[in-house]
Amino acid sequence: MTTTTADSDLPAICRVNQLPAHVGSTVTVQGWLNNRRSSGKLLFLQLRDGSGTVQAVLYKGAVEDSQFKELDALPQESSLEIVGEVKEDARSPGGVELSVTAVRVVGLAEPYPITKGVDTDSTAFLMDHRHLWLRSSRQAATLRIRSRVIKAIRDFFDSDGFTCVDGPIFTPAACEGTSTLFEVDYFGDPAYLTQSSQLYAEAAAMALGKVYTFGPTFRAEKSKTRRHLTEFWMVEPEVAFARLDDVMDLAENFLVSIISETIGDCRADLELLDRDCDKLLKMVRPFPRISYDEAVEMLNDNGHPFEWGNDFGAPDEEVLTKLFDKPLLVHRFPAQVKAFYMKRDPDDDRVALCVDVLAPEGYGEIIGGSERADDLQFLLDQIKAHDLPQEAFEWYLDLRRYGTVPHGGFGLGLERMVAWLCGTHHIRECIPFPRMLHRIYP
Ligand code: 4AD
Ligand code: MG
């Protein structure tokens, strides 16, 4: 229980998920009215405080008649402080209920828009009310899982000798191709919102050995798919002296760790989302690894014609991932469909030493990574070939001038990871306030 009190004369505040530890005590619970029903003499107030919901039982006579009447008509989402005794109740979800002795209405709500009767099934309506929709149990569960995934990500790297460095959000040039850049006016000159912190992570890796960046990332993607946001969070580890195989090992260990850590703490939330945790826990190492060449062959062998040299789209990824029940690592894509900074395979100059991790169940690419080109002249040629401004990359080229080493890393899209873990169809529910092609409100 916290030692703070709502008002000095109220018992100590207790969050709903802590109530089972306080059976027999009288506590204050602060929250919002989720639901209410009454049987004349008894009023059941379902209170939600973000950690859970509890049923508060109020007997007529426990409070003034006028207040009982007011509470019996209280609109959903009104905010409340309820004082009551915590009682064991096997039928309740948390195993406890509150026997109410006093109630204070903190904020009386207007009629709540997200309620039965209005077309709340329409996603556009819910998206327009995203600020209120967050209060729904599935949305709140998703945000708690997202928060836990962030911690799992940080814990994984922090406990393995990585230093967290932050990349800038204003950048002078493209990292992942010029077609998805958001341009902003930087005191009269063009600048771009970051598409990836990778190039900065590479610089930091040459100073610190093993680093990761974790922050907002922007893509002016004109894609209206269930996997694309224009603003999302990406975590990008980068490791000096790492080769492609090391990058793939790191990605595997990382994913397994996120899954087990998150399920360890969020099983109830995942089950609320109807996610089968045991199925997720089967995602153990090793994950299947195939080359792009093998993937193309598999596509064609499975009645899905695909030409060598193209990048995979969602339908191609879906066919491939259906052939496996774990995340699939596809390596060595044609260099022509990948970024300028990737190292070529010395055994086959047409392909890059890169890897995409495709999640099962149609969630598609969650990780993209590679070994980086470490040769100065090769990079100079690539910058020219990709029509990129060399001046903007001089600092990056310096990394090859002063003690170049093999190195590599990857980027994981946080929301795509959360969508897969939660089994959420559309990525927009996996970030508190999504930004998409046609959405910047609220
Ligand atoms: O494959 P991408 O473009 O790779 C990079 O940006 C590299 N520089 C990363 C690196 O090696 N350090 O993006 C990496 C991941 C994707 O696999 C996907 O999970 C996510 O970022 N992502 C998106 N997530 C949501 N909406 C979008 N529009 C996304 N674009 C990429
Ligand atoms: Mg990619």
Side-chain angles (χ1 to χ4, degrees):
M1 237 183 306
T2 53
T3 48
T4 52
T5 51
D7 272 322
S8 50
D9 55 333
L10 292 182
I13 294 164
C14 191
R15 292 202 90 199
V16 167
N17 64 352
Q18 302 295 314
L19 289 173
H22 297 282
V23 172
S25 307
T26 294
V27 300
T28 303
V29 181
Q30 300 171 311
W32 293 263
L33 184 67
N34 218 19
N35 216 334
R36 116 185 102 61
R37 63 191 170 85
S38 88
S39 70
K41 288 203 188 88
L42 271 179
L43 183 55
F44 301 95
L45 302 171
Q46 200 187 80
L47 194 72
R48 185 197 76 240
D49 79 341
S51 75
T53 56
V54 66
Q55 173 158 277
V57 185
L58 177 63
Y59 283 90
K60 202 168 179 171
V63 296
E64 298 265 332
D65 275 359
S66 59
Q67 194 188 17
F68 190 87
K69 229 171 130 187
E70 178 202 0
L71 294 173
D72 200 9
L74 198 65
Q76 184 189 345
E77 295 307 315
S78 294
S79 46
L80 299 171
E81 275 172 353
I82 296 185
V83 177
E85 190 189 329
V86 186
K87 293 213 162 144
E88 232 161 329
D89 180 78
R91 289 157 307 166
S92 295
V96 291
E97 62 176 27
L98 272 185
S99 179
V100 181
T101 52
V103 180
R104 188 165 84 89
V105 177
V106 178
L108 189 66
E110 294 180 22
Y112 193 56
I114 303 180
T115 183
K116 291 187 191 94
V118 286
D119 183 16
T120 51
D121 287 343
S122 133
T123 311
F125 175 87
L126 291 171
M127 275 300 173
D128 285 342
H129 293 83
R130 182 66 179 163
H131 51 295
L132 300 178
W133 191 25
L134 295 181
R135 302 179 186 197
S136 305
S137 58
R138 295 179 68 93
Q139 299 305 313
T142 307
L143 291 191
R144 277 191 297 268
I145 293 164
R146 183 181 196 270
S147 170
R148 188 61 187 84
V149 170
I150 292 169
K151 177 169 156 49
I153 287 171
R154 292 199 180 276
D155 286 349
F156 177 84
F157 291 122
D158 293 347
S159 64
D160 193 23
F162 283 74
T163 302
C164 176
V165 295
D166 295 315
I169 285 176
F170 289 128
T171 61
C175 173
E176 293 298 323
T178 47
S179 62
T180 62
L181 280 173
F182 275 113
E183 189 175 317
V184 293
D185 172 22
Y186 197 76
F187 306 115
D189 284 322
Y192 309 95
L193 300 182
T194 183
Q195 286 177 312
S196 160
S197 284
Q198 178 198 317
L199 309 186
Y200 299 96
E202 287 183 53
M206 300 305 131
L208 296 151
K210 304 206 288 186
V211 302
Y212 68 100
T213 65
F214 197 0
T217 307
F218 305 87
R219 301 273 171 100
E221 308 249 22
K222 293 253 163 71
S223 327
K224 237 187 103 180
T225 80
R226 65 187 185 102
R227 300 176 188 177
H228 286 92
L229 296 167
T230 53
E231 179 179 329
F232 62 99
W233 283 64
M234 178 149 52
V235 54
E236 299 182 84
E238 191 70 30
V239 181
F241 297 98
R243 315 306 293 255
L244 180 60
D245 283 342
D246 303 316
V247 171
M248 294 200 275
D249 290 345
L250 183 68
E252 257 184 16
N253 284 324
F254 177 56
L255 290 175
V256 169
S257 167
I258 296 177
I259 293 168
S260 70
E261 291 292 301
T262 307
I263 292 177
D265 279 350
C266 297
R267 189 177 271 273
D269 279 330
L270 288 161
E271 284 170 358
L272 184 146
L273 296 172
D274 306 311
R275 198 62 169 130
D276 181 352
C277 292
D278 296 329
K279 191 168 161 191
L280 287 171
L281 286 171
K282 292 202 182 105
M283 307 291 155
V284 291
R285 291 193 69 183
F287 295 161
R289 294 181 187 187
I290 59 172
S291 67
Y292 172 91
D293 286 5
E294 289 168 316
V296 171
E297 212 176 297
M298 282 181 188
L299 285 172
N300 286 307
D301 287 352
N302 282 276
H304 187 86
F306 186 91
E307 207 177 310
W308 196 99
N310 292 328
D311 201 358
F312 295 140
D316 313 310
E317 289 178 356
E318 202 159 331
V319 173
L320 282 175
T321 51
K322 280 221 173 99
L323 302 172
F324 302 88
D325 51 11
K326 290 192 210 177
L328 172 66
L329 280 68
V330 184
H331 53 82
R332 294 178 171 80
F333 282 70
Q336 69 208 46
V337 298
K338 290 292 179 186
F340 78 95
Y341 52 71
M342 289 184 183
K343 188 167 174 152
R344 293 290 170 87
D345 186 348
D347 295 332
D348 181 355
D349 191 53
R350 301 170 310 152
V351 301
L353 291 175
C354 63
V355 62
D356 276 6
V357 181
L358 311 180
E361 304 169 81
Y363 285 91
E365 182 201 326
I366 50 172
I367 283 183
S370 74
E371 202 173 319
R372 322 305 187 188
D374 46 20
D375 180 76
L376 178 62
Q377 191 54 51
F378 176 80
L379 263 183
L380 279 166
D381 295 343
Q382 286 303 304
I383 286 171
K384 215 175 249 139
H386 286 251
D387 213 13
L388 294 166
Q390 191 186 315
E391 338 64 84
F393 290 93
E394 281 303 333
W395 68 271
Y396 183 66
L397 294 165
D398 274 353
L399 307 178
R400 279 71 183 171
R401 292 187 181 107
Y402 304 107
T404 189
V405 294
H407 63 288
F410 62 79
L412 168 84
L414 173 65
E415 290 77 16
R416 288 195 189 174
M417 180 70 200
V418 173
W420 172 44
L421 263 182
C422 292
T424 305
H425 179 73
H426 200 300
I427 193 174
R428 66 188 157 206
E429 290 178 46
C430 299
I431 187 162
F433 294 96
R435 297 293 171 248
M436 295 179 293
L437 184 54
H438 297 300
R439 173 150 314 268
I440 197 167
Y441 177 91

